[in-house]
């Protein structure tokens, strides 16, 4: 790997450009120029570098190209990665387009929509985004993120037209900023030193409970989510407050059995919703593969016998495979 110089923005000294992350992850050691804030240097585990210590594959973070170590590397042909100015111009364009669609002379269909009528599209777009993530389809991921963003913009515009309690996309974004800053005091404020990653989830819940004045450990759990993810979320919440495992639902009926399997998976660090979806997606692919195999053999896929299914089932999952 050739040397890399990552230049931070003076306006955003604590923000690393996304383009620099691959080089930082691949580096055996990361160095920091003398102009890098000490807190950032420590968080990256970077060593302060003098110009005479430079190597051909150094990865250096600095805030100015004239910093001695950075200047020496750049003069020797190092790759330069600049931190771009804050993004967001296209987000403003998207909000303006949404406003136009809901305004007089815009789209009649868009103008008629309500929070209630849009619910089905939010659910559909969310699942399409999940599918793109599962498939590793980058083009679909980019598109589906845009479709989910559209739902946020749409609902915010509808909310802005409410006569009793209006709020707009700026209010939504402002609340989000306040929430993120408030829940990350170790980044933005005066959280005690020595922040530990393994207590992040508990600290996050403590901050949320104080912020929302919750009276129960299960307040705020979305009860409308799929049953497996709902059971997993409830298990996660009560585990954080020390509920004994023997008080989780139990019994011989189907519901209690499914809850028990879900709880065990969650308590062992797995995501049962994702695990089950993964198995279901593989099963769907196997069914299609068996049907195609049977059709290629001259059989009607809608009239397969049990033996036909077994014979054409993909070998790695076939009950006949040894």
């Amino acid at each position: 790997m050739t040397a890399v110089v990552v230049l931070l923005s003076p306006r955003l000294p604590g923000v690393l450009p996304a383009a620099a992350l691959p080089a930082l992850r691949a580096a055996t050691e990361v160095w920091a120029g003398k102009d890098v804030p000490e807190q950032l240097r420590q968080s990256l585990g970077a060593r302060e570098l003098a110009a005479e210590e430079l190597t051909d594959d150094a990865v250096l973070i600095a805030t100015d190209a004239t910093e001695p170590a950075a200047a020496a590397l750049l003069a020797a042909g190092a790759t330069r990665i600049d931190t771009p100015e804050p993004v967001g111009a296209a987000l403003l364009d998207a909000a303006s387009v949404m406003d136009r669609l809901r305004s007089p002379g815009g789209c009649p269909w868009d103008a008629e929509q309500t929070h209630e009528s849009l619910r089905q599209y939010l659910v559909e777009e969310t699942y399409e985004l999940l599918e793109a993530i599962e498939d590793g389809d980058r083009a679909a991921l980019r598109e589906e993120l845009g479709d989910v963003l559209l739902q946020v913009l749409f609902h915010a515009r509808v909310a802005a037209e409410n006569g009793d309690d209006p709020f707009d996309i700026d209010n939504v974004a402002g609340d989000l900023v306040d929430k993120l800053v408030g829940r990350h005091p170790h980044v933005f404020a005066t959280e005690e030193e020595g922040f530990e990653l393994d207590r992040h989830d508990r600290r996050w819940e403590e901050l949320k409970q104080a912020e929302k004045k919750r009276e129960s450990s299960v307040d705020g759990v979305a009860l409308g989510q799929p049953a497996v993810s709902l059971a997993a979320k409830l298990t996660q919440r009560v585990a954080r407050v020390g509920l004994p495992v023997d008080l989780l639902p139990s019994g011989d009926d189907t519901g209690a059995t499914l809850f028990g399997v879900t709880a065990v998976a969650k308590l062992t660090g797995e995501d049962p919703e994702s695990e089950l979806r993964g198995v279901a997606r593989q099963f769907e692919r196997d069914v299609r593969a068996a049907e195609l195999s049977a059709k290629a053999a001259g059989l009607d896929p809608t009239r397969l016998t049990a033996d036909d299914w077994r014979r054409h089932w993909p070998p790695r999952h076939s009950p006949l495979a040894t």
Side-chain angles (χ1 to χ4, degrees):
M1 185 177 71
T2 59
V4 176
V5 175
V6 181
L7 294 177
L8 305 177
S9 167
R11 294 177 55 193
L12 302 166
V15 175
L16 289 167
L21 296 182
L24 291 170
R25 289 170 180 152
T28 56
E29 191 160 27
V30 177
W31 303 88
K34 297 181 182 298
D35 57 350
V36 173
E38 180 65 15
Q39 183 178 6
L40 176 60
R41 186 185 70 76
Q42 291 183 357
S43 68
L44 292 171
R47 293 177 55 190
E48 188 173 308
L49 178 69
E52 61 271 13
E53 297 177 289
L54 295 175
T55 59
D56 293 338
D57 60 351
V59 176
L60 173 72
I61 300 171
T63 59
D64 195 306
T66 62
E67 195 277 335
L73 279 177
L74 292 171
T79 299
R80 172 173 171 164
I81 301 177
D82 290 281
T83 300
E85 289 303 304
V87 297
L91 289 174
L92 296 177
D93 291 340
S96 296
V97 168
M98 188 70 254
D99 287 342
R100 178 73 180 88
L101 292 174
R102 287 281 294 192
S103 297
C107 174
W109 184 89
D110 288 296
E112 292 179 354
Q113 301 311 304
T114 64
H115 292 303
E116 290 71 26
S117 69
L118 290 171
R119 288 188 305 173
Q120 61 175 328
Y121 303 109
L122 177 58
V123 172
E124 290 171 4
E125 299 299 354
T126 300
Y127 278 114
E128 288 176 11
L129 174 58
L130 288 173
E131 184 175 342
I133 294 172
E134 292 169 355
D135 292 344
D137 188 332
R138 298 284 296 174
L141 175 62
R142 177 172 173 172
E143 179 182 354
E144 299 304 336
L145 282 169
D147 289 342
V148 172
L149 174 60
L150 168 61
Q151 296 304 309
V152 175
L153 293 171
F154 214 146
H155 279 279
R157 170 64 195 207
V158 172
E161 299 170 12
N162 184 284
D164 298 323
D165 184 23
F167 60 84
D168 59 18
I169 191 63
D170 283 334
N171 299 128
V172 172
D175 289 348
L176 174 60
V177 169
D178 291 342
K179 179 186 296 184
L180 291 176
V181 172
R183 293 183 187 175
H184 292 85
H186 55 287
V187 176
F188 297 101
T190 57
E191 173 92 343
E192 65 276 8
E193 293 185 6
F195 172 78
E196 298 175 3
L197 185 60
D198 60 2
R199 63 182 291 267
H200 176 267
D201 287 347
R202 179 179 292 275
R203 182 62 173 138
W204 180 270
E205 288 298 333
E206 290 171 352
L207 290 166
K208 281 201 296 187
Q209 191 143 343
E211 170 191 313
K212 296 180 177 293
K213 298 179 174 60
R214 289 176 175 167
E215 298 180 353
S216 168
S217 59
V218 294
D219 279 354
V221 173
L223 301 180
Q225 62 186 297
V228 172
S229 57
L230 173 59
K233 188 65 176 180
L234 290 170
T235 299
Q236 180 186 52
R237 285 289 191 88
V238 298
R240 288 175 179 169
V241 294
L243 182 81
V245 175
D246 59 277
L247 294 182
L248 292 172
S250 62
D252 297 328
D253 59 286
T254 301
T257 300
L258 290 172
F259 194 105
V261 172
T262 299
V264 169
K266 192 64 180 178
L267 292 173
T268 56
E270 294 183 330
D271 178 4
E273 180 74 19
S274 295
E275 295 292 331
L276 181 56
R277 281 187 57 81
V279 172
R281 290 291 303 277
Q282 182 61 57
F283 177 72
E284 180 260 351
R285 289 191 290 269
D286 289 343
V287 169
R288 292 181 183 275
E291 290 170 337
L292 287 173
S293 176
K295 186 175 181 179
L299 299 176
D300 181 351
T302 66
R303 296 178 177 272
L304 299 181
T305 66
D307 286 341
D308 291 334
W309 276 109
R310 293 188 178 94
R311 188 176 302 109
H312 292 280
W313 201 251
R316 65 186 182 283
H317 301 297
S318 173
L320 300 179
T322 57

